Amino acid sequence: MQTYKAYFKSPLGPIEIIGSPDSILALEFVEEMLPGNGELAFCLRECLKQLDEYFQGVRREFFLNLQPAGTDFQKSVWRQLEKIPYGKTTSYGAIADILAKPNACRAVGSANGKNPIAILIPCHRVIGRDGNLTGYGGGLWRKRWLIGFEKGEIQPPSDIIA
C-alpha cells in the first residue's frame, strides 16, 4: 500500500500525518518537520485543511476516513473516544462502563495511550475519574492546552501555517 506523509505546524509543535490514498493512518506530534511527499493524496490535503480549521477555532468535528491499526479492543475504545463531544471530557472508567467492562479501566487507559491518530481520535479528552489529567503521548502540557482550547479558555493562535 502506498503511504504519504505530510506535516502541519501547530501551536503545539509539528504534527506528522501519515495516510494511504484514501485514509489517515497516523497523526502524532514530532520534534521537527521533515520533507513530506511532494504530491499528497486527497485525504492528507483534507486532513491539513481540517486541522487548520480546528486550530483556528472554527472546526469542532473531523470528517476524515480514519484507519488506525490496532486490536479489536483498542478499536472499540477508539470508537468511544470519537463520541466524546468537543469541549467535554470523560474518564477511563466511564469508557470501560460503556464497553460493559467495568473492571477494564487500565486496559482502556492502555488502548487510549496506543491511539495512533492523536487529536482526530480525541484521546486528550480522557481524564482520571477524579478529574486529574493523566498520561498523554504528546505530553501533559499538550493535553492541558487542547482541553483548555476546546473549552474556550485558550484563544486560537493567529499564525497557523499548514
Side-chain angles (χ1 to χ4, degrees):
M1 166 176 49
Q2 173 71 33
T3 59
Y4 301 87
K5 192 179 290 188
Y7 291 88
F8 181 83
K9 181 183 172 190
S10 85
L12 301 172
I15 295 174
E16 180 181 75
I17 308 156
I18 299 172
S20 70
D22 62 354
S23 303
I24 301 301
L25 307 172
L27 188 149
E28 67 177 327
F29 293 100
V30 294
E31 293 299 315
E32 62 181 318
M33 294 173 66
L34 301 173
N37 298 92
E39 188 175 317
L40 293 180
F42 173 79
C43 69
L44 265 73
R45 289 193 312 269
E46 186 61 24
C47 183
L48 290 168
K49 176 181 170 275
Q50 291 188 30
L51 279 172
D52 185 55
E53 293 167 349
Y54 170 80
F55 282 111
Q56 286 181 35
V58 297
R59 175 173 291 281
R60 293 177 172 227
E61 293 181 72
F62 295 98
F63 298 99
L64 299 161
N65 186 22
L66 308 179
Q67 293 295 320
T71 66
D72 289 343
F73 178 76
Q74 289 169 336
K75 289 177 183 179
S76 71
V77 170
W78 300 336
R79 281 190 296 275
Q80 292 306 313
L81 299 180
E82 291 181 281
K83 295 177 183 178
I84 305 168
Y86 180 94
K88 303 292 184 191
T89 58
T90 193
S91 69
Y92 301 99
I95 292 173
D97 290 344
I98 290 168
L99 295 173
K101 297 180 183 285
N103 297 322
C105 292
R106 288 186 183 189
V108 167
S110 176
N112 196 56
K114 291 180 177 141
N115 170 21
I117 306 179
I119 300 175
L120 307 179
I121 299 176
C123 54
H124 61 276
R125 296 178 187 157
V126 183
I127 61 175
R129 194 177 291 260
D130 61 2
N132 287 325
L133 296 186
T134 55
Y136 184 64
L140 283 180
W141 71 273
R142 285 187 176 112
K143 183 173 189 164
R144 187 175 297 108
W145 192 97
L146 288 164
I147 290 171
F149 175 69
E150 291 184 0
K151 289 184 176 188
E153 299 166 358
I154 297 172
Q155 294 305 306
S158 59
D159 63 343
I160 297 190
I161 301 170

